[in-house]
Amino acid sequence: MLLLLFTILAYLLLWALASDDRPVHQYPIEIQEEQKTSAASYGTSLENWLHEEQDVAFARLLANIAPGQNTEGVPNGTIVASPSKKDPDYFYQWTRDSAITALTLTRIASSDPGSLSSLEILNFLEYYASLQSRLQHQSNPSGTFADLSGLGEPKFNADGSAYEGSWGRPQRDGPALRALALVSYLRLYNHTYPSLWAGEFGKGWYSDLYEPSMPADSVIKADLEYVSHYWRDAGFDLWEEMRGLHFFTAMVQKRALTEGADIAGAFGDVGAQEWYKKQANAMERFVEGFWSKEEGHLVATLDTPRSGLDCGVMLGALHGTHSGVTTGRFPPWSDEVLVSMLRLIEDQQMRFPVNAAAAASNDPLTGTAVGRYPEDVYDGYGTSIGHPWFLCTAGVAEILYRTTVKLAAQGWLEITPVGLEFWGALNPDDIHNTGNIAAGLAEFNRTLQRLREVGDDFLAIVKQHADAEGSLSEQFDRVTGFESGAPDLTWNYGALLEALDWRKKALKAAA
């Protein structure tokens, strides 16, 4: 009887905490001690776990791409968001999520061209490219291919048919990300088989991806035409909830038009090259409007009723910036992105009970479980209250590692009035005022070290809440820390793999 009573009281306490809006600092600090006992992979160092998890993440990502083991009965090249078919049903192919996954695959293959894994990835990508042409021509509730309006359709059934249900549409980030993925695939293929470019077979192969004639019929050309003509129009955000003009969407559109101009030039499509450049330059000015001087951070959506703090800002900076680019507004290492990230982290520390130890810490950048945005009510199954997300938490780590690489290559750190808040929080012992810190100085080296350490702290949060097999569900509970929502979310594995790749680069750059 006493055991039954204790169990009932425990469940009542968890229910009360999950529905309680009090700041985290008002919760009993003992909660965090209970969370620690729920973490997976105890006894394994972070370094060892990351080494093992990289293989796990890659294998589980491939399992969600047809003909992978979780994709029986769907066309080859399909990338499902999750193998879950009910509670919740994520067994669909989202244009955005699929393209982001394809970008990760091209990056992995490019790191070791000619290897067995690279050739396997090229095989997947060939299927993916062919399928995207079919999906582009599939009439759907967003429109048709004739006027390109149908390219804004956010998701399709796993079998490639149109999803006819009610949804937040159109979503204008998908065509931009798909163009970027296929541009990366085109470059990878050309690098792997350089003789194709000059051969007759190659001309036919490349024309399926990009062909200058109008009206656009090749996959990349169609997406670039869509982006260049529709970027001023409102659509739904990456979370599929709010209609408007969004930072994430604008950043990936800007990148797509910039890289698209280069591809158009390579195919002798001079008029399109100039048009894409013109639109990219206009977007460079447009994105300035997402910086709010009043709030002191970037806002996820223009004229939003929300706070504007959003993991989508970080993701927009990451996916909207090519790894080799050092110019352009709001890259991951920009002061505006770093300060916006700091504000979101501070909010999440006080919002989620699982972050009680972080909230009590004197270090504002200690490892923190990060969710989508403060006002989030999606719990992975329905609407109640939001939780931390693995891909957002890994995204923080990637930004910190990419910033490390940038500073090491640049050779100095400029502390501006905008960035002082972030840099002072990162390295309070050395950074108190604006100015420049040159490479070679102890302060510079300590700052790079702190960037890497803090990045590792956020990956340690991913480790803590992953299950014992390394599986990553969409979310993990704000109170218990256990995984929740769609299991084996494809985007999670890609996000972790990207963070790990930049971690390796950061360690090498600052060695």
Side-chain angles (χ1 to χ4, degrees):
M1 178 65 74
L2 287 175
L3 179 60
L4 175 62
L5 179 61
F6 177 79
T7 302
I8 294 172
L9 288 173
Y11 275 103
L12 286 173
L13 174 61
L14 286 176
W15 178 86
L17 289 173
S19 58
D20 195 342
D21 288 332
R22 284 181 296 163
V24 168
H25 68 265
Q26 294 181 11
Y27 287 111
I29 195 67
E30 287 77 16
I31 293 173
Q32 182 62 21
E33 294 306 312
E34 294 177 6
Q35 306 320 310
K36 289 180 180 179
T37 63
S38 72
S41 306
Y42 278 115
T44 303
S45 71
L46 177 64
E47 198 71 43
N48 289 340
W49 185 83
L50 292 177
H51 179 75
E52 295 171 2
E53 181 65 12
Q54 179 168 307
D55 293 336
V56 171
F58 185 53
R60 288 178 179 266
L61 182 146
L62 291 181
N64 289 348
I65 305 175
Q69 67 184 47
N70 293 333
T71 60
E72 183 179 357
V74 305
N76 286 347
T78 300
I79 303 175
V80 295
S82 162
S84 180
K85 296 182 180 180
K86 63 178 182 179
D87 301 326
D89 185 0
Y90 275 40
F91 199 70
Y92 297 94
Q93 46 185 321
W94 271 264
T95 305
R96 169 187 49 254
D97 300 34
S98 297
I100 287 173
T101 300
L103 277 165
T104 294
L105 289 175
T106 59
R107 193 268 304 160
I108 293 172
S110 297
S111 65
D112 190 14
S115 67
L116 186 62
S117 62
S118 176
L119 295 176
E120 181 184 9
I121 288 172
L122 278 172
N123 192 41
F124 274 123
L125 291 172
E126 186 172 0
Y127 288 135
Y128 168 77
S130 176
L131 178 62
Q132 295 315 299
S133 178
R134 171 185 160 188
L135 295 181
Q136 282 184 334
H137 288 80
Q138 173 72 60
S139 295
N140 57 67
S142 291
T144 67
F145 187 76
D147 64 355
L148 302 183
S149 59
L151 302 189
E153 183 66 7
K155 76 173 186 177
F156 293 83
N157 293 318
D159 65 4
S161 62
Y163 175 75
E164 301 288 349
S166 177
W167 208 253
R169 53 170 66 96
Q171 293 177 29
R172 306 194 190 279
D173 52 3
L177 286 160
R178 179 167 55 200
L180 287 167
L182 292 176
V183 165
S184 295
Y185 168 53
L186 189 155
R187 288 171 172 157
L188 170 64
Y189 213 94
N190 188 45
H191 181 71
T192 307
Y193 305 105
S195 61
L196 269 180
W197 186 256
E200 287 301 317
F201 173 78
K203 291 179 181 178
W205 186 89
Y206 285 115
S207 66
D208 291 337
L209 293 174
Y210 193 99
E211 207 279 320
S213 64
M214 292 288 287
D217 193 44
S218 55
V219 188
I220 297 174
K221 175 77 170 177
D223 279 338
L224 291 175
E225 287 297 308
Y226 178 89
V227 173
S228 65
H229 287 92
Y230 283 95
W231 68 263
R232 295 178 180 83
D233 294 349
F236 279 83
D237 65 345
L238 78 163
W239 309 129
E240 309 186 301
E241 297 170 349
M242 180 171 287
R243 185 178 179 88
L245 294 168
H246 315 289
F247 181 81
F248 177 88
T249 303
M251 288 294 289
V252 297
Q253 287 173 328
K254 180 167 68 76
R255 177 185 169 188
L257 291 170
T258 300
E259 295 190 28
D262 292 339
I263 290 296
F267 281 87
D269 196 0
V270 178
Q273 180 183 27
E274 293 303 314
W275 168 248
Y276 300 152
K277 280 183 179 179
K278 180 179 179 181
Q279 299 310 306
N281 290 336
M283 292 208 72
E284 194 73 29
R285 297 187 294 272
F286 171 71
V287 296
E288 294 282 356
F290 288 93
W291 173 252
S292 171
K293 292 182 179 179
E294 294 77 15
E295 300 296 335
H297 60 77
L298 289 159
V299 295
T301 301
L302 296 181
D303 302 318
T304 177
R306 297 175 180 168
S307 64
L309 292 172
D310 199 305
C311 167
V313 169
M314 300 186 306
L315 298 176
L318 290 171
H319 295 292
T321 307
H322 188 276
S323 60
V325 171
T326 58
T327 60
R329 292 298 288 134
F330 306 131
W333 53 82
S334 65
D335 290 336
E336 294 88 350
V337 170
L338 295 172
V339 168
S340 301
M341 181 178 73
L342 173 64
R343 296 286 178 82
L344 178 62
I345 291 169
E346 290 172 337
D347 173 274
Q348 304 292 273
Q349 288 173 351
M350 304 303 293
R351 189 165 299 277
F352 298 143
V354 76
N355 285 330
S361 171
N362 292 324
D363 180 2
L365 282 168
T366 192
T368 300
V370 178
R372 298 192 300 174
Y373 54 90
E375 302 86 355
D376 195 4
V377 296
Y378 177 59
D379 59 18
Y381 308 97
T383 55
S384 61
I385 196 164
H387 300 291
W389 284 48
F390 284 109
L391 69 89
C392 291
T393 306
V396 174
E398 183 181 345
I399 283 182
L400 294 167
Y401 297 140
R402 291 183 72 164
T403 302
T404 306
V405 173
K406 168 63 177 177
L407 292 182
Q410 181 173 279
W412 77 89
L413 166 62
E414 181 183 5
I415 310 297
T416 69
V418 171
L420 180 59
E421 181 181 3
F422 170 81
W423 294 110
L426 179 79
N427 185 3
D429 293 335
D430 294 319
I431 299 176
H432 310 98
N433 302 299
T434 58
N436 289 334
I437 303 175
L441 294 177
E443 300 97 301
F444 185 85
N445 294 334
R446 283 193 291 266
T447 300
L448 292 189
Q449 181 180 352
R450 273 286 291 163
L451 284 167
R452 299 194 308 273
E453 289 174 349
V454 174
D456 282 2
D457 287 346
F458 279 84
L459 289 188
I461 297 297
V462 174
K463 171 184 179 292
Q464 180 181 349
H465 297 286
D467 76 5
E469 297 179 349
S471 172
L472 301 175
S473 295
E474 181 184 66
Q475 308 175 29
F476 50 101
D477 191 274
R478 59 168 29 219
V479 176
T480 68
F482 289 114
E483 295 191 29
S484 63
D488 287 315
L489 191 75
T490 311
W491 192 350
N492 276 345
Y493 296 123
L496 181 58
L497 289 170
E498 292 302 317
L500 292 177
D501 181 63
W502 281 102
R503 182 177 186 266
K504 291 177 183 177
K505 295 174 181 176
L507 291 170
K508 183 178 179 180

